[in-house]
Amino acid sequence: MLLKMYSRNSCPLCAEALEELEKLKNDMEIEIEVIDIYSDDALLEKYQLMIPVVEYEGLVLGYGKIKKDFIRKRLLDKKRETIVE
């Protein structure tokens, strides 16, 4: 399961979010791709006031203050939706 985290350099909140996501690896099989919003003008425009942003399959799971348990719950909810569909 690939999580994308939109971030930027020198962002303390982003560093905290990455630590929370790393903890989530103990509970779930996830990979984390960190994407610098300054690498793409469209990303910068879309996320500059929201970072960090965690996304899975195009769905924003959370932004700002990221907590491991909240992201875990959102992922489990997403899995249940997929199974039901």
Side-chain angles (χ1 to χ4, degrees):
M1 181 176 325
L2 176 64
L3 299 182
K4 293 182 179 180
M5 187 181 97
Y6 297 98
S7 178
R8 70 173 171 80
N9 289 332
S10 302
C11 169
L13 205 52
C14 299
E16 288 176 25
L18 187 56
E19 286 178 23
E20 287 291 305
L21 293 178
E22 289 291 338
K23 292 177 194 173
L24 189 58
K25 285 183 173 181
N26 296 328
D27 301 336
M28 307 178 87
E29 286 188 36
I30 63 167
E31 294 179 49
I32 305 162
E33 178 183 1
V34 178
I35 301 166
D36 185 349
I37 62 170
Y38 283 91
S39 67
D40 182 315
D41 288 340
L43 292 176
L44 180 60
E45 186 174 328
K46 185 174 182 179
Y47 295 126
Q48 100 181 26
L49 298 176
M50 296 171 63
I51 61 166
V53 176
V54 178
E55 179 185 274
Y56 174 66
E57 293 185 345
L59 173 69
V60 172
L61 300 176
Y63 62 92
K65 188 75 171 168
I66 302 296
K67 291 293 184 188
K68 173 189 85 149
D69 293 333
F70 180 77
I71 298 298
R72 183 179 183 281
K73 181 183 180 321
R74 295 289 312 269
L75 286 169
L76 291 173
D77 289 347
K78 177 71 175 154
K79 274 184 160 181
R80 283 187 202 106
E81 287 174 15
T82 304
I83 292 169
V84 171
E85 292 174 357

